[in-house]
Amino acid sequence: MSVLVQPVPEVNPLQDSLRFARRVPPCAVVIFGASGDLSKRKLLPSLYRLFYERRISTNFAVVGSSRTPMSDDQFREKMKESVSKFLEDAPFDQDVWTSFAQSLFYVAGDLNNPSSYDDLREKLDEVEKSHQTAGNVLFYLSTQPSHYAEAILELGKHKLNEGNGWRRVIIEKPFGHDLESARKLNEEIHKVFDESEVYRIDHYLGKETVQNILAFRFGNSMFEPLWNRRYVDHVQITAAESIGVEGRGAYYQEAGALRDMIQNHLSQVMATVSMEPPSVFDATNVRDERAKLLRAVRVMKPQDVPLYAVAGQYGPARVGGQDFPGFRQEPSVNPDSQTDTYAAVTFFIDNWRWAGVPFYIRTGKRMPKRITDVAIQFKAPPLGLFTQETKTGPREVRPNLLVLRIQPEEGISLRFLSKSPGSGMRVRPVSMDFNYGSSFGERTPTAYETLLVDAMAGDPTLYTRQDMVEASWQIVMPILDSWAHTRFDFPNYPAGTWGPKASDDMLARQGHVWRVP
Amino acid sequence: MSANIFPVQPEAILKGLGKLWTSLGEEEKQLGKPTVLRACAMTLIVATDESDAGFFASQTISELMHEHPSRGIVLAVSDTAEHGLEARVLAQCWKPFGKAQQICCEQIEIKARPEVWPNVGPTLVGLTAADLPVIFWCRHQGALSPTATADQKAGLEAVMSLATKTIVDNRGMELQSAFSFIADSQSRGRIIADLEWTRLTFWREPLAGVFDSSACGSPLSSFHSVEIAHSDPKLSASTVYIGGWISAPYKARVQFSKIDGHGPGVHRVTLRSETETIDFERTGPDCMTLRSSNGRSRQYNYPDADLTALMTEELSVLGPDPAFNTAFARSQELIRELK
């Protein structure tokens, strides 16, 4: 009856990479801090969505863990509420949820309590058998950062870092609060997990449009020859938020804009925009290039900090008929706070490609709108043959600008000059637009969906490596140290504006101005 | 959406398109900011016939443009064409939610009398978007049937010869002639897709996934028999394709059976080895359940795959489709074995 005509192939012959989504192997995902905000808003909705889209293996389980005592069923009910509430751009399907919920389990426990890890081990053994997860476990640390090291050391003590399958750990930012603590945290982690098993998540790198920067740069040949100091005048990276601290005043007061955004997200975006092409598109090569770039960023001397870095804090303002409090008036914020809610930094990359090209990075809260983009300002033509007609008369033409829009209207725009119709040689800037949403109308996966699949599939390309984290701390440390010893005259910008005047002055010294995105 | 009728000469039609874009840009000129984005990633030619009256080609193309913006050319072959051949141009636009800019694709509608169809080729050549793939979606069932007239065959050939890929839908078609058409086209080096195959992705992906993991105690190679239950009056292309696909790697034995179930198309796939049985079954209009005799089960949603969804998937695969080619080759063997 059985007819076998071929030897067993090594790969699944039924897989169809043209039409099927990337597969992930069987595994259990353990979420520490399972009743926290990140888990409710992002992690569980992302896992459900992956399940709905059939991207997760049939042999899959989630084990949530936090201090709140709950049964498996109570955890499922709680997560159902969260998933139905926070699911983005996707329907909630009761039948699929019922099936998904069968893979959800819960272990109540305190990270400080060793017996919690015994309970966890027991649960993992149970789901390995019942859900055939092949012994693969992905730990997700969605807890207070101060608990990371402790939790990891306990995992090691209880031998949960080893088993029948692979073991990996995802760590949320912040990875330390300065270079020294980042190094110390890495040392603690490496006592238990090998670096190859550590996935430091920076959700900016999981955004489709950040990934698209790599496709844009290295999938096309026409831009790369221009991507250097000969043609690029300067680069502006903007990450503006229109909202304030939204109830996170206590946390934000300790972090500040430089730590919260520039040290991690924006330095990684800068590295993505400016790194050298990898020889192969794999995790090691891509991350090597990012790390190499970050190591090439000039570390400021203390006396340079006032020239190349600006701190800001928003004050109260009335915007659009509505009164907004200043940062110091936000709940849980020290009325004399010296925290930066705005930071702007000029970085220089000391390599052959970028020597002398300023990279301006700014980020802030309570700005006029929410936008994240990267603008590559090209140099003006060597001879100004044309003037641009404006309402106030002719003026010198503005050179080419390439804008990589990360959010909210993801896409790419190239500004160039075109002759205005009619007689005479009058020119005006026009824009050639690529709109990500309209060209790829399909729903794009959220950053957490992308990154969770990558971690389960063992692909760390979009995760930050120890050397990248340390290099990015290295470049902000002189600024943090200097600011820690400075008494700022805050607030220095009203809510609803593009930041303090000192930031404009920083660019003006280089002959540049901030764009209005 | 706006339309004007033009003589059927490529230059005239393209001039009409140019005017159309100029008029769409008027608002932009007045407001001084971009209001319209012209999008085109391919030329999509859709041929329809009289029997396709319920199909609204323009509407379907406008739905497809959200993911596959194209220069759409609708070729309606009809006795009602007054001038033998007539054309009009229009733009299909949509504004993504919350965005200020409309995304617009251009569309050309050509109405041709059946006897004129064979001569449409040169016109279409001049109308395809430069340097982009040309996809031909043949909904003219008469031209695909064994009783196609000489004009229909010539007309079909005229369009297929331009196309990077031709898409047909063999749902409800007579299997022998449908398979002959695909085999003949493939032998001439053409890329052919069948929406009956596209309908199977919802089946194939979870089934393949079982053999990625340890859910299935046995390797695929040990499954010696495959049973496909369907609820169609006769064997459909999709039923044969799934048998061909799953049995191809090891030439496992395939049996087909007809039952009352959720249809049309495949209702259940059963794989048997010496130690394990896997059932994958439609257990509701929008639900599928996978059960293994080793105790594991999982439910999946079975989304309603309308034509837009099927075409959206198919337009994402512009080159050769090795999985389909392998499954089709094995399907032909299964048909021969059934005889």
Side-chain angles (χ1 to χ4, degrees):
Chain A
M1 197 151 115
S2 172
V3 185
L4 295 180
V5 296
Q6 292 175 22
V8 178
E10 286 178 5
V11 293
N12 180 349
L14 297 181
Q15 274 304 336
D16 184 350
S17 59
L18 280 177
R19 292 175 194 260
F20 299 170
R22 181 183 191 177
R23 309 293 305 175
V24 297
C27 68
V29 179
V30 176
I31 302 176
F32 290 109
S35 54
D37 242 23
L38 180 72
S39 184
K40 287 192 284 191
R41 287 171 181 269
K42 297 289 181 190
L43 302 183
L44 263 297
S46 298
L47 289 167
Y48 166 79
R49 181 69 204 182
L50 292 170
F51 187 89
Y52 179 88
E53 291 190 342
R54 304 158 170 215
R55 297 191 63 191
I56 289 181
S57 161
T58 47
N59 309 103
F60 164 77
V62 175
V63 180
S65 176
S66 69
R67 279 183 295 193
T68 317
M70 267 188 284
S71 66
D72 288 342
D73 283 339
Q74 285 170 322
F75 178 61
R76 288 166 186 157
E77 201 45 47
K78 200 171 171 184
M79 290 304 117
K80 183 181 173 186
E81 280 171 33
S82 303
V83 169
S84 56
K85 185 174 173 186
F86 295 113
L87 198 57
E88 290 174 27
D89 308 326
F92 180 81
D93 184 304
Q94 180 57 49
D95 288 340
V96 175
W97 172 264
T98 304
S99 194
F100 178 67
Q102 289 168 11
S103 302
L104 298 187
F105 301 91
Y106 185 77
V107 178
D110 192 327
L111 291 170
N112 303 318
N113 183 355
S115 72
S116 304
Y117 297 86
D118 294 329
D119 296 343
L120 178 61
R121 167 183 286 288
E122 205 174 298
K123 188 65 91 176
L124 282 173
D125 288 344
E126 188 187 315
V127 299
E128 184 178 336
K129 291 191 188 94
S130 64
H131 283 62
Q132 293 167 308
T133 54
N136 299 325
V137 183
L138 175 65
F139 297 102
Y140 200 118
L141 293 183
S142 172
T143 62
Q144 290 289 329
S146 54
H147 292 144
Y148 289 168
E150 187 183 7
I152 285 173
L153 291 174
E154 287 297 333
L155 288 174
K157 278 185 201 162
H158 290 81
K159 306 274 184 209
L160 282 160
N161 58 331
E162 51 194 63
N164 298 331
W166 49 255
R167 300 293 157 117
R168 295 174 191 141
V169 60
I170 297 182
I171 303 170
E172 272 286 336
K173 70 146 196 164
F175 316 117
H177 55 89
D178 56 20
L179 178 60
E180 191 187 335
S181 59
R183 281 182 175 150
K184 186 153 187 342
L185 177 62
N186 283 329
E187 276 170 26
E188 300 287 332
I189 292 169
H190 290 155
K191 286 178 185 166
V192 178
F193 290 102
D194 183 75
E195 178 61 23
S196 64
E197 297 168 321
V198 181
Y199 288 66
R200 295 174 192 81
I201 198 164
D202 183 328
H203 74 270
Y204 254 63
L205 291 181
K207 287 178 184 288
E208 288 284 321
T209 38
V210 174
Q211 294 176 62
N212 192 39
I213 293 173
L214 294 177
F216 179 78
R217 288 191 57 201
F218 305 131
N220 300 294
S221 59
M222 63 185 286
F223 295 104
E224 200 51 26
L226 310 177
W227 216 261
N228 56 52
R229 62 189 302 275
R230 276 189 75 187
Y231 298 99
V232 174
D233 186 65
H234 68 277
V235 177
Q236 295 187 13
I237 300 176
T238 301
E241 288 183 74
S242 56
I243 57 171
V245 289
E246 305 294 299
R248 291 167 67 231
Y251 159 76
Y252 199 81
Q253 188 164 244
E254 298 305 314
L258 186 66
R259 271 198 182 89
D260 195 44
M261 291 293 291
I262 295 182
Q263 181 274 328
N264 39 68
H265 304 317
L266 301 183
S267 63
Q268 294 301 330
V269 170
M270 177 175 73
T272 306
V273 168
S274 53
M275 66 191 237
E276 295 298 316
S279 55
V280 180
F281 194 80
D282 64 14
T284 304
N285 282 281
V286 171
R287 299 199 300 175
D288 280 352
E289 293 303 340
R290 276 208 185 99
K292 204 166 81 186
L293 187 286
L294 288 168
R295 286 196 298 271
V297 176
R298 188 186 304 165
V299 179
M300 287 180 210
K301 295 185 179 76
Q303 63 270 27
D304 291 336
V305 172
L307 292 174
Y308 296 117
V310 173
Q313 187 189 87
Y314 63 85
R318 189 171 177 80
V319 181
Q322 195 182 343
D323 287 321
F324 290 99
F327 178 68
R328 289 174 175 180
Q329 287 78 48
E330 298 274 9
S332 312
V333 172
N334 177 353
D336 196 30
S337 172
Q338 286 286 304
T339 301
D340 50 310
T341 62
Y342 174 97
V345 182
T346 306
F347 287 119
F348 289 95
I349 299 169
D350 289 336
N351 63 17
W352 276 51
R353 184 189 282 263
W354 295 115
V357 177
F359 281 71
Y360 301 115
I361 301 184
R362 64 175 160 173
T363 182
K365 291 197 174 288
R366 282 265 185 261
M367 310 209 76
K369 63 176 171 180
R370 172 179 170 256
I371 191 158
T372 304
D373 67 17
V374 179
I376 320 284
Q377 180 76 67
F378 289 92
K379 288 184 174 171
L383 278 178
L385 296 180
F386 308 113
T387 52
Q388 182 189 339
E389 285 295 315
T390 68
K391 286 176 184 168
T392 53
R395 73 167 186 209
E396 197 177 334
V397 293
R398 297 158 74 191
N400 298 127
L401 181 73
L402 180 71
V403 181
L404 309 167
R405 298 190 306 271
I406 293 170
Q407 61 186 21
E409 293 209 23
E410 299 87 347
I412 297 170
S413 296
L414 177 64
R415 188 181 71 194
F416 59 97
L417 293 178
S418 175
K419 180 184 174 300
S420 289
S423 60
M425 186 53 85
R426 293 173 305 163
V427 295
R428 66 166 183 167
V430 292
S431 178
M432 200 153 68
D433 273 327
F434 157 71
N435 184 305
Y436 209 81
S438 60
S439 296
F440 301 100
E442 62 199 78
R443 176 189 174 276
T444 51
T446 64
Y448 277 96
E449 287 170 38
T450 303
L451 293 167
L452 281 165
V453 165
D454 283 0
M456 288 188 261
D459 179 356
T461 309
L462 301 176
Y463 285 85
T464 46
R465 211 170 49 189
Q466 175 195 2
D467 53 345
M468 296 158 71
V469 171
E470 292 182 8
S472 59
W473 273 118
Q474 192 100 42
I475 60 177
V476 299
M477 280 318 296
I479 309 171
L480 287 171
D481 288 342
S482 171
W483 287 2
H485 297 101
T486 306
R487 180 82 190 162
F488 292 106
D489 187 15
F490 285 159
N492 59 355
Y493 71 100
T497 65
W498 284 108
K501 183 178 174 299
S503 180
D504 298 335
D505 295 343
M506 179 178 81
L507 266 69
R509 284 193 288 274
Q510 306 279 340
H512 298 139
V513 289
W514 283 114
R515 289 169 55 242
V516 179
Chain B
M1 191 162 93
S2 57
N4 291 303
I5 291 180
F6 290 91
V8 186
Q9 291 166 358
E11 291 82 5
I13 294 173
L14 293 175
K15 200 172 172 184
L17 283 176
K19 282 184 181 168
L20 188 63
W21 285 110
T22 305
S23 68
L24 287 168
E26 282 299 315
E27 190 189 9
E28 181 168 327
K29 204 172 164 186
Q30 286 162 12
L31 295 177
K33 63 178 181 181
T35 55
V36 174
L37 186 68
R38 183 179 187 172
C40 183
M42 65 181 69
T43 300
L44 175 61
I45 304 173
V46 186
T48 67
D49 64 7
E50 302 286 8
S51 66
D52 213 13
F55 172 70
F56 299 102
S58 293
Q59 188 184 330
T60 307
I61 292 174
S62 74
E63 287 166 5
L64 288 171
M65 69 173 266
H66 292 207
E67 292 192 30
H68 299 291
S70 64
R71 175 178 288 179
I73 303 176
V74 180
L75 176 63
V77 181
S78 167
D79 285 325
T80 62
E82 287 178 17
H83 308 292
L85 203 60
E86 57 197 42
R88 63 176 193 148
V89 297
L90 56 146
Q92 295 277 9
C93 298
W94 69 292
K95 193 183 273 189
F97 180 73
K99 306 286 165 76
Q101 202 175 30
Q102 289 193 94
I103 318 291
C104 293
C105 288
E106 54 207 14
Q107 209 177 98
I108 303 163
E109 289 186 359
I110 298 175
K111 214 168 179 183
R113 293 188 62 80
E115 64 274 18
V116 181
W117 187 14
N119 304 322
V120 171
T123 305
L124 293 179
V125 171
L127 294 178
T128 56
D131 306 315
L132 293 173
V134 178
I135 309 299
F136 174 34
W137 181 14
C138 183
R139 293 186 51 83
H140 194 297
Q141 298 302 64
L144 296 170
S145 78
T147 57
T149 65
D151 278 346
Q152 286 171 336
K153 284 180 183 168
L156 185 63
E157 177 58 27
V159 189
M160 282 182 77
S161 64
L162 301 175
T164 317
K165 168 176 174 172
T166 298
I167 301 169
V168 297
D169 187 355
N170 281 321
R171 170 157 284 184
M173 296 291 279
E174 199 273 310
L175 266 187
Q176 193 63 50
S177 69
F179 278 25
S180 295
F181 173 77
I182 294 175
D184 178 55
S185 301
Q186 286 186 335
S187 70
R188 290 198 278 164
R190 292 197 173 135
I191 298 175
I192 300 289
D194 183 352
L195 295 183
E196 275 286 84
W197 170 252
T198 323
R199 288 186 178 94
L200 292 175
T201 303
F202 290 125
W203 286 88
R204 295 193 302 119
E205 192 167 12
L207 270 171
V210 168
F211 297 98
D212 267 347
S213 66
S214 62
C216 176
S218 324
L220 175 64
S221 55
S222 70
F223 284 87
H224 49 72
S225 86
V226 181
E227 291 166 27
I228 319 277
H230 66 94
S231 48
D232 298 315
K234 289 194 295 185
L235 265 186
S236 67
S238 63
T239 305
V240 182
Y241 286 152
I242 200 158
W245 168 70
I246 205 157
S247 68
Y250 305 106
K251 306 276 195 227
R253 175 173 299 176
V254 181
Q255 289 180 312
F256 298 101
S257 61
K258 182 181 171 340
I259 61 165
D260 289 330
H262 297 283
V266 183
H267 173 77
R268 185 177 59 231
V269 177
T270 305
L271 307 176
R272 292 185 203 283
S273 75
E274 296 300 336
T275 55
E276 189 176 3
T277 300
I278 292 175
D279 264 321
F280 194 37
E281 183 175 12
R282 276 188 77 177
T283 44
D286 53 5
C287 184
M288 304 167 91
T289 304
L290 188 128
R291 287 189 200 89
S292 162
S293 58
N294 70 13
R296 294 281 293 120
S297 76
R298 177 171 164 176
Q299 284 192 316
Y300 297 86
N301 62 312
Y302 186 81
D304 179 25
D306 60 12
L307 270 180
T308 306
L310 295 172
M311 281 298 293
T312 297
E313 177 180 328
E314 209 48 64
L315 292 177
S316 302
V317 184
L318 295 179
D321 184 347
F324 173 65
N325 293 343
T326 306
F328 178 67
R330 174 68 179 143
S331 297
Q332 287 179 295
E333 290 174 12
L334 293 178
I335 291 287
R336 282 195 289 272
E337 286 168 16
L338 282 174
K339 281 182 179 171

